[in-house]
Amino acid sequence: MHKVARTVLRGRKLPSAPIKKMRQAIIILTIFTTIATSCFMKKEATVDKLILAGIGNNLTYDSLRKPQLILCNYLEYNNSNELKYAQGDYKYIYQKNAPSYSLDKFYRLESSDLIKQLIDKSLVNKPFDSLYINKGEGVFYVLIYQISDTVRHIIYKPRYLPKSLYSLDSTLRSLTDSSKLVKTKSFSVDRLLPEFEKYLFKIHPPPPPPMVIDSI
């Protein structure tokens, strides 16, 4: 009896429709799983923009008598193959119409993967204070950087930085002394700098512009 039953089962063909439906269900489930996984995977964070600026302890005023910071130097990184660099001059504190942020020499230089890796390694997912400086000190540096939609800044003197930022600071500042600087036409600073300036002036309101006495 059992042998007859096994023989009958061997001879029967299983219906193909349920198998096809099962295969289709597996394929659809696989597709949805892949899409869901890709949607929920977080993109690795990276520094999109970075500015390093040396800021003097005086102000200049533009043609509209609007105060502005004096920048000794300005370095801009925007996650590309090229860096922007500019130098400023203190002589403009004696003039009524200073160029933007007293910058009057402009350069470009090549970036590299090593610089990008150092920037990301030093700043991404790292909690830093916004101030590493003693009150009343003169020239200082500001590091402004943007990760996704978040903008942070660090005001500092190099000797007060935590050790985890030593390499980044020294590397970026050494670039400004590089023989690889190539002169270029003037450019505007990134919007992150005016936003920082606005923040700084809100905390430390600048004095009114000096009186201008016309000669008779």
Side-chain angles (χ1 to χ4, degrees), residues 27-40:
I27 293 172
I28 293 172
L29 181 61
T30 303
I31 292 172
F32 275 114
T33 302
T34 304
I35 293 173
T37 302
S38 62
C39 289
F40 286 102

Side-chain angles (χ1 to χ4, degrees), residues 47 115-126 128 164:
V47 176
I115 293 175
K116 172 181 169 53
Q117 291 168 10
L118 177 61
I119 290 173
D120 288 340
K121 181 180 177 181
S122 302
L123 297 174
V124 173
N125 297 324
K126 301 294 176 63
F128 292 111
S164 57

Side-chain angles (χ1 to χ4, degrees), residues 45-49 145-152 191:
T46 184
V47 176
D48 301 310
K49 289 183 182 181
Y145 58 100
Q146 179 175 336
I147 301 174
S148 187
D149 296 327
T150 303
V151 178
R152 296 185 176 91
R191 62 173 180 82

Side-chain angles (χ1 to χ4, degrees), residues 43-108:
K43 183 182 177 182
E44 188 174 351
T46 184
V47 176
D48 301 310
K49 289 183 182 181
L50 178 143
I51 291 171
L52 175 64
I55 300 178
N57 54 1
N58 288 298
L59 300 174
T60 58
Y61 296 85
D62 61 18
S63 58
L64 300 176
R65 311 302 288 155
K66 179 183 176 183
Q68 57 183 3
L69 296 171
I70 291 180
L71 300 188
C72 307
N73 45 60
Y74 171 88
L75 181 69
E76 179 184 317
Y77 162 88
N78 59 7
N79 204 0
S80 68
N81 296 326
E82 192 172 87
L83 299 169
K84 293 180 180 179
Y85 175 63
Q87 292 178 335
D89 198 317
Y90 267 93
K91 68 183 180 183
Y92 295 109
I93 63 175
Y94 305 109
Q95 299 183 18
K96 294 188 295 183
N97 186 10
S100 179
Y101 298 104
S102 298
L103 299 174
D104 59 3
K105 298 180 182 68
F106 300 87
Y107 306 89
R108 60 179 174 83

